[in-house]
Amino acid sequence: MLTKTKIYLSSPHMGGSERKFVEEAFDTNWIAPLGPNVDGFENDIQEYLGGNKHVAALSSGTAAIHLALQLLNVSAGDEVLCQSFTFSASANPIIYQGATPVFIDSEQDTWNISPELLEIAIKDRIEKYRKPKAIIAVHLYGMPYKVNEINDIARKYEIPVIEDSAEAFGSTYFNQACGTLSDMAILSFNGNKIITTSGGGALITDSVELKNKAVFLSTQARDNAPHYQHSSIGFNYRMSNVVAGIGRGQMEVLDDRVAARRKNFEFYKANLSKYSSISFLEEPIGFYSNRWLTCIKTSSYDMREQIRLALSEEDIESRPLWKPMHMQPVFKDYLHFTNGISEDLFEKGLCLPSGSNLSQDDLDRILNIILKSPYL
Ligand SMILES: *Cc1c(COP(=O)(O)O)cnc(C)c1O
């Protein structure tokens, strides 16, 4: 019997040069959290992003958010405003710092942090407690959030923004790269992201001093002394030179990966948008999404589940949209400012297989199962 291969939601897709850079690391014995691949990868990212940014390659995107909070001196007693509709890694580092998250719901146009609710929350916290220490905004699924609106509010109240660009490498906002649109930004190179180093992340800042401080903290905060001396608490968060080699290879194909993922989106949209029970997130003018994952919103929980289970039956992975943080057992008791939008997306939304390595046969196989849905 012919068995069909499993189709994953978003699987790693190597370009070709990754192995060469990794072999170089072996040949030169740079098997350490520093070396030419780390420097080369950071330079590649800086060049790609443009705009005089400084990049620190780290062990994960989560580590990058944690260091960003550390660099902003977020600590116990502080509140951090965080987009509720996201992956838990956006919020967990707030807890690592002993600080308190306050969750903000999304708006309809981008599914990201609502400027209206953000300002309501800031006013509320200033009146009832104190000014929040930072804002974590997320370009979810690759779609930029409303950057100008969020930055205007952040400037008005003088609160720094951490731009969680983990899912949006290759996306742009009015021709500026996601990852360069705020005070500090992070990227992720986890296995499911648009490019991967198997695991890794980066912190992006405006100043070389902040970058150097991030590198210092990420390598155990060792003072300049012949012995090991420490005047502050460090972390072991630096990227290894071996995985940075994978990253250098992946940078050569990032634009191809964006094109392939956008093509997936166009395929699904071309074939499914005629059904009133399925809708897609469109790009507002000036917004350019890498379409990391193609998401559909169905007309009901039952319809979403029917499609998800029918795909699963055929060994095809799909997943409900992120469960908002304010609904998560671990975060539900924290303050949140909501409007029902992320809850509705969680109830009816589904991420379809979106890897850049999907074949036309794969896409047809997925589509044919969705087209059999009795809910269409
Ligand atoms: C993947 C992801 C992260 C965390 O990145 P890791 O490299 O997996 O630690 C943070 N935020 C969002 C929105 C993500 O999708």
Side-chain angles (χ1 to χ4, degrees), residues 286-302:
F287 289 57
Y288 182 86
S289 170
N290 66 9
R291 297 293 186 188
W292 172 57
L293 296 184
T294 292
C295 306
I296 54 171
K297 193 177 164 200
T298 68
S299 58
S300 66
Y301 172 81
D302 289 345

Side-chain angles (χ1 to χ4, degrees), residues 60-62 65 86-87 89-90 138 140 164 166-167 188 190 193 200 322:
S60 70
T62 311
I65 298 173
T86 186
F87 176 49
S90 302
V138 188
L140 209 66
D164 182 340
E167 301 177 4
S188 167
N190 199 8
K193 297 302 191 320
W322 298 120

Side-chain angles (χ1 to χ4, degrees), residues 13-24 37 196 242-253 257:
H13 186 185
M14 294 298 105
S17 308
E18 293 85 359
R19 208 184 279 262
K20 181 193 80 184
F21 289 115
V22 171
E23 263 164 26
E24 262 170 39
N37 281 338
T196 182
V242 178
V243 306
I246 307 176
R248 289 179 85 182
Q250 289 273 277
M251 285 305 290
E252 294 179 0
V253 292
R257 300 301 180 255

Side-chain angles (χ1 to χ4, degrees), residues 253-272:
V253 292
L254 174 54
D255 285 337
D256 299 338
R257 300 301 180 255
V258 174
R261 293 205 182 231
R262 286 180 61 87
K263 208 163 152 242
N264 291 335
F265 176 87
E266 292 305 328
F267 172 82
Y268 288 123
K269 191 181 139 195
N271 289 285
L272 293 170

